[in-house]
Amino acid sequence: MKVTKISLDVNRRDPNPDPICDALQCLPGAGSVRVTVHTDAGVSGTGAVSFGRIGGAPDALASVIKHELEPVVIGTDPACVRGTHESLLRETEYHGSFGLAMFGIAALDTALWDCWGKALETPCWKLWGGVRDRVPAYAMVGWLNYDDAEVQQICETAMLQGFRAVKIKVGYPSLAEDVALLAQLGTDQALENLRAKMVVRNDLDEVVDVVVRRYGDLANDQGVTLNTEMESDLPPVRIYAPFFVDALGRLVDNAIKFSRGAGKRATVKARRAGRMVEVAVEDEGVGIPPEEIPHLFDRFHQIGREEMEQQGLGLGLAIAQRLVEMHDGEIAVESTPGQGSTFAIRLPVAETY
């Protein structure tokens, strides 16, 4: 059995005026490309890829498949999917087997497996050596631009459909939203609203652990080991957990960002310090010049770390400081250039203790 023809169905779609968003981008949708592999045995298989953005992407992908990938696949045996995959990687090595090329290779892989499974009248999962006819799956439904009520409704629908887990997109808002947030946090009304929501928490270690787990994948991706060192029996503090998590998260994110590299560590420590509870984030990054420290929390101030690829937008630390100050706390900074930095949130022990 040999591949004799590849047909393409390009689906162009107008962008959604109310797009879904994650922490980095909005995804208005841009259509899809459906690939069908035909053989001399009359068996065919299909594969498809969809695009979240870039209106011209489906047509561009169709061109890549037609002019670059199709000649590699024509004449091959659908049973040799892995060999064909390697040939496609070699063909695209000049410009890189990623982006549109990888989208096209993925669609063709799927179509070839589908073709071979149909020829054998065998589900693909059996060809792959699967040991069961179903696997646990999650629903990717909770996007960053949904409010709590929308997320709850969508999650409930997913559960009714049989899913037992959902993937919810989380992350920092855009720069414009950060600017608006910082302005809002400076009002007396914001402080009054926060005070009404603050409660005494005896489980600060668990709240800290939530933040550390949230950034575990990011740390792994950056080659940073993220650890915790927390004293037992921490005294209670009075906080509004979402704001505290936001503030600590910004410090952890910075620690990971500026500690990138194999063998580097970032550590979140929690301890009692007199009538305060201290949650410190230590990194092994490039450190901060002494003359920069007085300006760290100024709006839009960026540290002159030219050797780093990533720099903050200049509002993260200002927002973190304001959130902590609204809890009657403070953020202290210690740093040694070339060795690393420590940012410590200090909150008063709850009066009921």
Side-chain angles (χ1 to χ4, degrees), residues 9 11 15 45 108 111 121 133 151 156-157 187 221 261 312 333 342:
D9 180 17
N11 173 32
L108 287 165
E121 297 183 346
D133 61 359
V151 171
E156 289 174 353
T157 300
T187 66
D221 291 343
V333 184
T342 300

Side-chain angles (χ1 to χ4, degrees), residues 101-163:
M102 185 53 67
F103 272 67
I105 292 172
L108 287 165
D109 279 350
T110 305
L112 290 169
W113 279 113
D114 185 45
C115 184
W116 182 232
K118 288 177 179 177
L120 297 178
E121 297 183 346
T122 303
C124 286
W125 64 267
K126 287 188 177 181
L127 298 178
W128 299 328
V131 296
R132 52 185 175 180
D133 61 359
R134 65 193 63 202
V135 295
Y138 62 77
M140 192 170 71
V141 294
W143 296 91
L144 188 62
N145 55 304
Y146 293 164
D147 61 29
D148 291 347
E150 289 176 301
V151 171
Q152 181 176 344
Q153 180 180 359
I154 294 171
C155 289
E156 289 174 353
T157 300
M159 294 297 138
L160 291 175
Q161 292 172 338
F163 291 100

